[in-house]
Amino acid sequence: MLITLPSASTEAECDALRERLDAMGLQTRALCAPGRQTLLCYGDPQAVKRASLLPFAPGTTVTPIPQPYVLCTRQAAPGRAVIIPGPTPVVVGGREIVLAAGPCSVEGLPMLRATAAAVGQAGAAMLRGGAFKPRTSPYAFSGLGEEALEMLGEVRRETGLAVVTEVMDARQIEAMIPHVDVFQVGARNMQNFSLLAELGRIRRPVLLKRGASATVEELLLSAEHIVSRGNDAVILCERGVRAHETLTRNTLDIGAVAALKKETHLPVFVDPSHAAGRADLVPALALAAVAAGCDGLIIEVHPSPADALSDGDQSLTPEAFAALVDQLAPVAAAVGRSLATQVAQPVARVA
Amino acid sequence: MLITLPSASTEAECDALRERLDAMGLQTRALCAPGRQTLLCYGDPQAVKRASLLPFAPGTTVTPIPQPYVLCTRQAAPGRAVIIPGPTPVVVGGREIVLAAGPCSVEGLPMLRATAAAVGQAGAAMLRGGAFKPRTSPYAFSGLGEEALEMLGEVRRETGLAVVTEVMDARQIEAMIPHVDVFQVGARNMQNFSLLAELGRIRRPVLLKRGASATVEELLLSAEHIVSRGNDAVILCERGVRAHETLTRNTLDIGAVAALKKETHLPVFVDPSHAAGRADLVPALALAAVAAGCDGLIIEVHPSPADALSDGDQSLTPEAFAALVDQLAPVAAAVGRSLATQVAQPVARVA
Amino acid sequence: MLITLPSASTEAECDALRERLDAMGLQTRALCAPGRQTLLCYGDPQAVKRASLLPFAPGTTVTPIPQPYVLCTRQAAPGRAVIIPGPTPVVVGGREIVLAAGPCSVEGLPMLRATAAAVGQAGAAMLRGGAFKPRTSPYAFSGLGEEALEMLGEVRRETGLAVVTEVMDARQIEAMIPHVDVFQVGARNMQNFSLLAELGRIRRPVLLKRGASATVEELLLSAEHIVSRGNDAVILCERGVRAHETLTRNTLDIGAVAALKKETHLPVFVDPSHAAGRADLVPALALAAVAAGCDGLIIEVHPSPADALSDGDQSLTPEAFAALVDQLAPVAAAVGRSLATQVAQPVARVA
Amino acid sequence: MLITLPSASTEAECDALRERLDAMGLQTRALCAPGRQTLLCYGDPQAVKRASLLPFAPGTTVTPIPQPYVLCTRQAAPGRAVIIPGPTPVVVGGREIVLAAGPCSVEGLPMLRATAAAVGQAGAAMLRGGAFKPRTSPYAFSGLGEEALEMLGEVRRETGLAVVTEVMDARQIEAMIPHVDVFQVGARNMQNFSLLAELGRIRRPVLLKRGASATVEELLLSAEHIVSRGNDAVILCERGVRAHETLTRNTLDIGAVAALKKETHLPVFVDPSHAAGRADLVPALALAAVAAGCDGLIIEVHPSPADALSDGDQSLTPEAFAALVDQLAPVAAAVGRSLATQVAQPVARVA
């Protein structure tokens, strides 16, 4: 429920009420609302019911949660961006479009280092690379695990690139903290609510990918699972949905990007690599995503796609990635944005 | 089957063979292939079988049709564009991006005239407007029919805009010929093969919309139904597929646009209005479509969307359309294209 | 709109009103409603508006159409079945479950005759067989056309089996009338509204297949297109929808069968052959359909599936069909139904 | 890879090879193959490569894994059933069809006890009830957690019914072990590979639900994730996929049930409640599932559906469930099966 205090309420009164609700086993979040204080209060339905009957101060209004998500609406935090502290801070959701690039899987230190250097040079602000890989088949390569985390940490220090990598299990979080700037939740785990709850309790940005058949509303509700636990730094990511087309691996839902920009204050990334499933279509999808208003792209780049242990078909070479960045810049400018990458100074970062 | 004649064959020999195949009840099409003559031959399977046993000239090769479509492949006609003769000729599929705009339904002459003037002024080269409207419900407004055709013809003469309107039934073609430059096949009729066959026999461009759950291959096969009957002037149109999202009416398959540009020489339009289903998302989808490489856009514009008899929610006002054109031009330039509309001289056309 | 006359109205008053509405260019249909007379009135929206302002008799109520379809609701005609006059009348939608079987395409008289004899012997009351075949590829066998109609007519006379075959184009209807008992509309033409309108004007039952991505509501609205033109004899047919599974050709929507039985009085057939796309799964789907409450099945049977010119993979042999009928009978009994086929006397019918 | 030893190999030779592969960090599973010994060997691709170059005994063949799944194929274990030890053992996958029933969520001990008594009396062999509930919204009731586990354990002892409940997180397993007979993996966690791996290491049956847009192959690969870790007792569950229909919550893929029975030896359950999403359609779907060959049903039953904290719309009353069991029995008999429930003796079990 939403509890809106009378406009004359003091912060102390608000805190007192929150303590009382806490004591009843409920969770509360204060909402930004100019001039008035509103509490979002939720938890066990019986406790919510009991709390709704408390003797509130006169002028207090108590209403049901008005739409499926509250904290992720555009109204909840207009204009807010996500800041990735990282080795070099990166602002996501502002005027600049942020590029994350790197291999599907971390396959070893030399290939990771080479890729990171190349994508950083070309303009990426973030390095992607899988350590724990969810694989449809139990017999497929599933990542180098903690060994890969160490490599990501090392290359992070060397290049100054922020690291984004996938977390599959709450028990991996602790080992990831020293090496990882952004915790990615994969499409298959978008509704792994245990994992989302844990990520709501950490102080690191989360990149939440849309499930292959999830609606925009379901994506926002999954984000709300994180935000309602206290972690506001959620970046959404459209990576294609499962429709009927077979020439592409997934169907990039460009309309969802546009709809998300209307619905929520959270930044929106696009993953053209998983959407296309084939390298030759990645540029067109990346250009379309920028034109539609995305705040960033996450792109698979491999020094030798034909030898990749996973997702080689959809990986760009470093050269193709650099060429794509050159194509993206004028489209970003045409829609009043710029690439964050244009100011990247990889050498300076290392120092 | 494909029959490839020896490289030394004369045109007369080729013609003689075609006549013989015709006499067996088969259909033939000559394919462009530098240095060699190849015939695409099809029809009743028994007759094809008999024909494959003919005593061909030595050096002739006979092979099965190598992929689902032949005439619509990129190889079949590299670089070819579709020319809409129209009151002012329009080239579709070249460097310039063509805009078609107008009301969902023709509701009367004054509204059509006003819309046409506005969209022409803003840069559209084509006027869209429904005369025969397929409607899910039998009780919904289904268009003004032949009366609307007359109005389209009149406004066409006045403005010089080429007219594109939907044909639902082969029996409508004759009445449409005097007023219509491009025959649109709606998504629901994409596999109405009787209608496609008839359109293959006329000498007017066809705008073929993709069915709501059709694959790209099925769309190209439907185009092949038209082209194999002799009408090469087919423009494809992506208008969104039926997936799981509910915030948009359909899911614009931007990857299909990119894939089509690789697969076929036929020009590709995008209909952002039916994809979005809501006016506020139309600009983002239109920009994305241009960035992804489309050759044209078909957009619903109504002088007073709230009063429209159909599709009001997704119609732009003339002002919003003009603003969109201003946004589209720099994106087109950023991908090495320009809007055909920038040279439009509506007044000169009338003369 | 719906116009409900005062309960004391005479039939003459009702007729007078209908004439007046007709004269305004509107279409009317009288609805069954015990004790009261209600007219469904529709057509050009301006005319409907004008008609709504007529000086009706006191006590008349005028309301908008209350739900997307009216004539196809369960309430509109509780308990009504469709009667196929045929050489031997067949009742569809009663206690008995009706089987239609035969080849995908009519490939010649001997194979049609053999199949018809076998399926009739096994218990089918109807013979299916395609004369005009919609084919995704223009190069695929598209049926023997009018020649096939003659063969169907001949076998119909010989066996007494009612004939169901697909109509693709309104211009085919006249040639079909002498030979065809049930006009099938294929999934691809479910929203070919010109064709539906024509079928609404004939006096033959229509088997309307659900489109591959159509909703139940859209199917019922397509049926309403036919019924509102005056032809009540519509049989619906679920044949699988396009979802994500690849082991079956389509995904049989068994829930739609159950939902249709709640929503409408129209009988519901199931086509397990197109749903499965492979013969080995056809029996399980047929059994499930009967258990879920369908009123009939339409099944592809070919004397030699491996040699079929179309859909061989999903065709049963005559022996497999007979074995399936033996499996269906106890399931039908278990849900309080029986197979119409158990009373079939093929020899007597010929006489 | 698959390593097939020469037919004369002894078990000791096979064990020696497995030890050697283990020492290389690889995982191995022996496959049933009459007359020959075959090892399934998998793990880090580099190690697999090295292992493939070992000096095997002459006559050994080494081949890649021949299809996406190995241990879940029908060939791998023909005729094997899953045995739920439970308070009273239940055999799943044999001639008898097993019913699991109970509330969506455990809401308290009295309602759970009443429901369990009723469904046991009616013939269910298993009690379902959610303790940890995955909920799309963070503000929805998410189950009573460990408190609910205690209640399930208590009712299990009282009634002798085996308990099936959902596990959302590997960290919940330990607390569940004393109270739970079958660990359910929900549709949203079908590809939570961390969780699947943990469930592969326990000695309890797993009920694995198909994801809302997963293919049958993906479902079997998820099962393979469990089985390849050593837990063979996996029961698959079809619960409807996300397609386009809106009258039902999901689209029950009855063809998948039939296809699974051909592909795998694992038993197949159907959940008609989540497929239908509305109680009035549950019986038709349950009947269809039995006719199509399922091995069991899992059905939501609530003593007062209108008051349920979750999924009330799709829950049957105990009376409706008992009536459904009466309908199911003859359909089961018609397809050569019987309900396991017909021998249930709830009173005897308690003793």
Side-chain angles (χ1 to χ4, degrees):
Chain A
M1 61 188 173
L2 293 181
I3 305 170
T4 303
L5 303 183
S7 49
S9 307
T10 64
E11 207 158 309
E13 286 167 332
C14 183
D15 288 348
L17 176 58
R18 288 186 76 167
E19 267 171 46
R20 193 158 175 187
L21 294 165
D22 285 356
M24 296 175 78
L26 291 166
Q27 295 185 267
T28 56
R29 287 282 315 247
L31 301 187
C32 321
R36 306 209 68 184
Q37 304 211 44
T38 298
L39 291 176
L40 168 67
C41 169
Y42 61 98
D44 173 51
Q46 308 300 338
V48 169
K49 206 171 195 177
R50 280 195 303 275
S52 71
L53 304 172
L54 286 177
F56 295 109
T60 305
T61 61
V62 178
T63 52
I65 293 178
Q67 63 196 97
Y69 39 89
V70 176
L71 303 168
C72 293
T73 55
R74 194 156 189 78
Q75 295 70 38
R80 184 201 293 161
V82 166
I83 292 162
I84 302 171
T88 316
V90 179
V91 178
V92 179
R95 190 181 166 280
E96 292 193 332
I97 293 168
V98 173
L99 303 183
C104 175
S105 304
V106 175
E107 297 170 11
L109 190 53
M111 67 79 72
L112 185 65
R113 194 174 266 152
T115 312
V119 301
Q121 200 66 45
M126 293 165 70
L127 174 65
R128 62 149 292 151
F132 305 104
K133 298 295 304 172
R135 298 305 298 272
T136 305
S137 165
Y139 309 127
F141 173 58
S142 62
L144 297 181
E146 303 205 4
E147 207 183 334
L149 292 178
E150 299 282 346
M151 295 174 194
L152 286 166
E154 185 157 340
V155 173
R156 177 179 180 272
R157 282 187 300 276
E158 290 171 11
T159 59
L161 293 171
V163 162
V164 53
T165 194
E166 179 163 355
V167 56
M168 287 175 64
D169 189 319
R171 294 168 302 180
Q172 296 162 346
I173 293 175
E174 205 180 313
M176 294 173 76
I177 287 282
H179 309 299
V180 174
D181 298 293
V182 179
F183 284 71
Q184 178 181 318
V185 177
R188 296 180 181 98
N189 275 322
M190 189 197 90
Q191 293 190 316
N192 179 341
F193 300 119
S194 291
L195 180 59
L196 300 182
E198 294 290 342
L199 293 171
R201 295 183 196 108
I202 65 172
R203 289 284 155 273
R204 288 287 159 82
V206 174
L207 181 86
L208 177 64
K209 287 194 155 187
R210 182 186 186 190
S213 68
T215 62
V216 164
E217 182 177 306
E218 288 167 341
L219 174 60
L220 286 170
L221 280 165
S222 285
E224 189 97 359
H225 271 269
I226 300 171
V227 176
S228 64
R229 260 71 174 210
N231 185 354
D232 289 331
V234 177
I235 301 164
L236 306 171
C237 183
E238 161 63 28
R239 41 73 78 196
V241 293
R242 188 164 270 193
H244 307 303
E245 185 47 52
T246 53
L247 286 184
T248 48
R249 183 172 175 183
N250 291 289
T251 296
L252 184 67
D253 186 356
I254 202 76
V257 176
L260 280 167
K261 294 304 293 176
K262 303 268 174 195
E263 287 287 315
T264 182
H265 61 86
L266 299 175
V268 180
F269 264 51
V270 167
D271 174 350
S273 306
H274 281 85
R278 42 187 273 202
D280 66 335
L281 300 184
V282 167
L285 297 190
L287 291 163
V290 168
C294 77
D295 299 300
L297 295 167
I298 180 162
I299 296 178
E300 290 190 344
V301 176
H302 191 284
S304 175
D307 302 317
L309 291 180
S310 53
D311 282 355
D313 289 347
Q314 71 199 35
S315 294
L316 298 186
T317 60
E319 296 71 37
F321 176 72
L324 172 57
V325 175
D326 289 344
Q327 289 180 280
L328 288 170
V331 174
V335 294
R337 309 283 287 267
S338 60
L339 300 187
T341 65
Q342 288 155 326
V343 296
Q345 302 284 351
V347 180
R349 278 181 192 156
V350 184
Chain B
M1 62 189 174
L2 294 181
I3 306 171
T4 303
L5 302 183
S7 50
S9 307
T10 63
E11 208 158 307
E13 286 166 333
C14 184
D15 288 349
L17 177 58
R18 289 186 75 166
E19 266 171 46
R20 194 157 174 188
L21 294 165
D22 286 357
M24 296 176 78
L26 291 165
Q27 295 186 267
T28 57
R29 287 283 312 248
L31 301 186
C32 321
R36 304 209 70 184
Q37 304 211 41
T38 298
L39 291 177
L40 168 66
C41 168
Y42 61 98
D44 173 50
Q46 308 299 338
V48 169
K49 206 172 197 176
R50 279 194 302 275
S52 71
L53 304 172
L54 286 177
F56 294 109
T60 304
T61 62
V62 177
T63 53
I65 292 179
Q67 63 196 97
Y69 39 88
V70 176
L71 302 168
C72 293
T73 57
R74 193 152 191 81
Q75 295 71 39
R80 184 201 292 159
V82 166
I83 292 162
I84 302 170
T88 316
V90 179
V91 178
V92 179
R95 191 181 165 280
E96 293 193 332
I97 293 168
V98 173
L99 303 183
C104 175
S105 304
V106 174
E107 299 171 9
L109 191 53
M111 68 79 73
L112 185 66
R113 193 174 266 151
T115 311
V119 300
Q121 199 67 44
M126 293 165 69
L127 173 66
R128 62 150 290 153
F132 306 103
K133 299 295 304 171
R135 299 305 298 271
T136 306
S137 165
Y139 311 127
F141 173 59
S142 61
L144 297 181
E146 303 204 6
E147 205 183 336
L149 292 179
E150 300 281 348
M151 296 175 193
L152 286 165
E154 184 156 342
V155 173
R156 177 179 178 272
R157 281 187 300 276
E158 290 172 10
T159 61
L161 293 171
V163 162
V164 53
T165 195
E166 180 163 352
V167 57
M168 289 174 63
D169 189 320
R171 295 168 298 181
Q172 296 161 345
I173 294 175
E174 205 180 313
M176 293 172 77
I177 287 282
H179 310 298
V180 174
D181 298 292
V182 179
F183 284 72
Q184 178 181 318
V185 177
R188 297 180 180 96
N189 275 323
M190 187 197 90
Q191 294 191 315
N192 179 342
F193 300 119
S194 292
L195 179 59
L196 300 182
E198 294 289 344
L199 294 171
R201 294 182 197 110
I202 64 172
R203 289 285 154 268
R204 287 287 160 83
V206 175
L207 181 86
L208 177 64
K209 288 195 155 188
R210 183 187 186 188
S213 69
T215 62
V216 164
E217 183 177 306
E218 289 167 341
L219 173 61
L220 286 170
L221 279 165
S222 285
E224 190 97 359
H225 272 269
I226 300 171
V227 176
S228 64
R229 259 70 173 213
N231 184 354
D232 289 330
V234 177
I235 301 165
L236 305 171
C237 184
E238 160 63 29
R239 40 75 79 195
V241 293
R242 187 165 272 192
H244 307 305
E245 186 46 54
T246 52
L247 286 184
T248 47
R249 182 173 176 184
N250 291 290
T251 295
L252 184 67
D253 187 355
I254 201 76
V257 176
L260 281 166
K261 293 304 294 177
K262 303 270 174 195
E263 287 288 315
T264 182
H265 61 86
L266 299 175
V268 180
F269 264 51
V270 167
D271 173 350
S273 306
H274 282 85
R278 40 187 273 201
D280 65 337
L281 300 184
V282 167
L285 296 190
L287 292 163
V290 168
C294 77
D295 298 301
L297 295 167
I298 179 163
I299 297 179
E300 290 189 345
V301 177
H302 191 283
S304 175
D307 301 317
L309 291 181
S310 54
D311 282 354
D313 289 346
Q314 70 198 37
S315 293
L316 299 185
T317 61
E319 296 71 34
F321 176 72
L324 172 57
V325 176
D326 288 344
Q327 289 180 280
L328 288 170
V331 174
V335 294
R337 310 282 288 267
S338 59
L339 299 186
T341 63
Q342 287 155 327
V343 297
Q345 304 282 353
V347 181
R349 278 180 192 156
V350 185
Chain C
M1 61 188 173
L2 293 182
I3 306 169
T4 302
L5 302 182
S7 49
S9 307
T10 63
E11 208 156 307
E13 286 166 333
C14 184
D15 288 349
L17 177 58
R18 289 186 76 167
E19 266 172 46
R20 193 155 174 190
L21 294 165
D22 285 356
M24 297 175 78
L26 290 165
Q27 295 185 268
T28 57
R29 286 283 312 246
L31 301 186
C32 321
R36 305 208 70 182
Q37 304 212 44
T38 298
L39 291 177
L40 168 67
C41 168
Y42 61 98
D44 173 51
Q46 309 298 340
V48 169
K49 206 171 195 177
R50 280 195 302 275
S52 71
L53 304 172
L54 286 177
F56 294 109
T60 304
T61 62
V62 177
T63 53
I65 292 179
Q67 63 196 99
Y69 38 89
V70 175
L71 302 169
C72 293
T73 57
R74 194 153 189 79
Q75 294 71 39
R80 183 201 291 160
V82 166
I83 291 163
I84 302 170
T88 317
V90 179
V91 178
V92 178
R95 190 181 166 281
E96 292 193 333
I97 293 168
V98 173
L99 303 182
C104 175
S105 304
V106 174
E107 298 170 10
L109 191 53
M111 69 79 71
L112 185 66
R113 193 174 266 153
T115 311
V119 302
Q121 199 67 45
M126 294 164 70
L127 173 66
R128 62 150 290 152
F132 305 104
K133 298 295 305 172
R135 298 305 297 272
T136 305
S137 165
Y139 310 128
F141 173 58
S142 61
L144 298 181
E146 302 205 5
E147 205 183 333
L149 292 178
E150 300 281 346
M151 296 175 195
L152 285 165
E154 184 156 342
V155 173
R156 176 178 179 271
R157 282 187 299 277
E158 290 170 10
T159 61
L161 293 170
V163 162
V164 52
T165 195
E166 180 163 353
V167 57
M168 288 175 62
D169 189 319
R171 296 168 299 180
Q172 295 161 347
I173 293 175
E174 204 179 314
M176 294 173 76
I177 287 283
H179 309 299
V180 174
D181 299 292
V182 179
F183 283 71
Q184 179 181 317
V185 177
R188 297 180 181 96
N189 275 322
M190 189 198 91
Q191 293 190 315
N192 179 340
F193 300 120
S194 292
L195 180 58
L196 300 182
E198 294 290 342
L199 293 171
R201 294 182 196 110
I202 64 172
R203 291 282 155 270
R204 286 287 160 84
V206 175
L207 181 86
L208 177 64
K209 288 195 156 188
R210 183 186 185 189
S213 67
T215 63
V216 163
E217 183 176 306
E218 289 167 340
L219 173 60
L220 286 171
L221 280 165
S222 284
E224 191 98 358
H225 271 269
I226 301 171
V227 175
S228 64
R229 260 70 174 213
N231 184 354
D232 290 329
V234 177
I235 301 165
L236 306 170
C237 184
E238 160 64 28
R239 43 72 79 196
V241 293
R242 187 164 271 193
H244 307 303
E245 185 46 53
T246 53
L247 287 184
T248 47
R249 183 172 176 184
N250 291 290
T251 295
L252 183 68
D253 186 355
I254 202 76
V257 176
L260 281 167
K261 294 303 295 177
K262 303 268 175 195
E263 286 289 314
T264 181
H265 61 86
L266 299 174
V268 180
F269 265 50
V270 168
D271 173 350
S273 306
H274 281 85
R278 40 188 273 200
D280 67 336
L281 299 183
V282 167
L285 296 190
L287 292 163
V290 168
C294 77
D295 298 302
L297 295 166
I298 180 163
I299 296 178
E300 290 189 344
V301 176
H302 191 283
S304 174
D307 302 317
L309 291 180
S310 54
D311 282 354
D313 289 346
Q314 70 198 35
S315 294
L316 299 186
T317 61
E319 296 71 36
F321 177 71
L324 172 57
V325 176
D326 288 344
Q327 289 179 278
L328 288 170
V331 173
V335 294
R337 310 281 287 265
S338 59
L339 300 186
T341 64
Q342 288 155 327
V343 296
Q345 304 282 353
V347 180
R349 277 181 192 155
V350 184
Chain D
M1 63 187 171
L2 292 182
I3 306 170
T4 303
L5 304 182
S7 50
S9 307
T10 63
E11 208 158 307
E13 286 167 334
C14 184
D15 288 349
L17 177 58
R18 289 186 74 166
E19 267 170 45
R20 194 158 173 186
L21 294 165
D22 285 357
M24 296 175 78
L26 290 165
Q27 294 185 269
T28 57
R29 286 283 313 247
L31 301 186
C32 320
R36 306 209 68 183
Q37 304 211 42
T38 298
L39 291 177
L40 169 67
C41 169
Y42 61 97
D44 173 51
Q46 308 299 338
V48 170
K49 206 171 197 176
R50 280 194 303 275
S52 72
L53 304 171
L54 286 177
F56 295 109
T60 304
T61 61
V62 177
T63 52
I65 292 178
Q67 64 196 99
Y69 39 89
V70 176
L71 303 168
C72 293
T73 56
R74 194 154 189 77
Q75 295 71 38
R80 185 200 292 160
V82 167
I83 292 163
I84 302 171
T88 315
V90 179
V91 178
V92 179
R95 191 181 165 280
E96 292 193 332
I97 292 168
V98 173
L99 304 183
C104 175
S105 305
V106 175
E107 297 170 10
L109 191 53
M111 68 78 73
L112 184 66
R113 194 174 265 151
T115 312
V119 301
Q121 200 67 46
M126 294 166 68
L127 174 66
R128 63 149 291 152
F132 306 104
K133 298 296 303 173
R135 298 305 298 272
T136 305
S137 164
Y139 309 127
F141 173 58
S142 62
L144 297 181
E146 302 205 6
E147 205 183 336
L149 292 178
E150 299 282 347
M151 295 174 193
L152 286 165
E154 185 157 339
V155 173
R156 178 179 179 270
R157 282 189 299 276
E158 290 171 10
T159 59
L161 293 170
V163 162
V164 52
T165 195
E166 180 162 354
V167 57
M168 287 175 65
D169 189 319
R171 294 169 300 181
Q172 296 162 345
I173 294 176
E174 205 180 313
M176 294 174 76
I177 287 282
H179 309 299
V180 174
D181 298 292
V182 178
F183 284 72
Q184 178 181 317
V185 178
R188 296 181 181 96
N189 276 321
M190 189 198 89
Q191 293 190 316
N192 179 340
F193 300 119
S194 291
L195 180 59
L196 299 182
E198 293 290 343
L199 293 171
R201 295 183 196 110
I202 64 171
R203 290 284 155 270
R204 287 287 160 82
V206 175
L207 181 86
L208 177 64
K209 288 194 155 187
R210 182 187 187 188
S213 69
T215 62
V216 163
E217 183 177 304
E218 289 167 341
L219 173 61
L220 286 170
L221 279 165
S222 284
E224 190 97 358
H225 271 269
I226 300 171
V227 175
S228 65
R229 262 69 174 212
N231 184 355
D232 289 330
V234 177
I235 301 165
L236 305 170
C237 184
E238 160 63 29
R239 41 73 79 195
V241 293
R242 187 164 272 192
H244 307 305
E245 185 47 53
T246 53
L247 287 184
T248 49
R249 182 172 176 184
N250 291 288
T251 296
L252 184 68
D253 186 355
I254 202 76
V257 176
L260 281 167
K261 295 303 293 176
K262 303 269 174 195
E263 287 287 316
T264 182
H265 61 86
L266 299 175
V268 180
F269 265 51
V270 167
D271 173 350
S273 306
H274 281 85
R278 42 187 273 202
D280 67 336
L281 299 183
V282 168
L285 296 190
L287 292 163
V290 168
C294 77
D295 298 301
L297 295 167
I298 180 163
I299 296 178
E300 290 190 344
V301 176
H302 192 284
S304 175
D307 301 317
L309 291 180
S310 53
D311 281 356
D313 289 346
Q314 70 198 37
S315 294
L316 299 185
T317 60
E319 297 70 35
F321 176 71
L324 172 57
V325 176
D326 288 344
Q327 288 180 280
L328 289 169
V331 173
V335 293
R337 309 284 287 267
S338 60
L339 300 186
T341 64
Q342 288 154 327
V343 296
Q345 303 283 351
V347 180
R349 278 180 191 156
V350 184

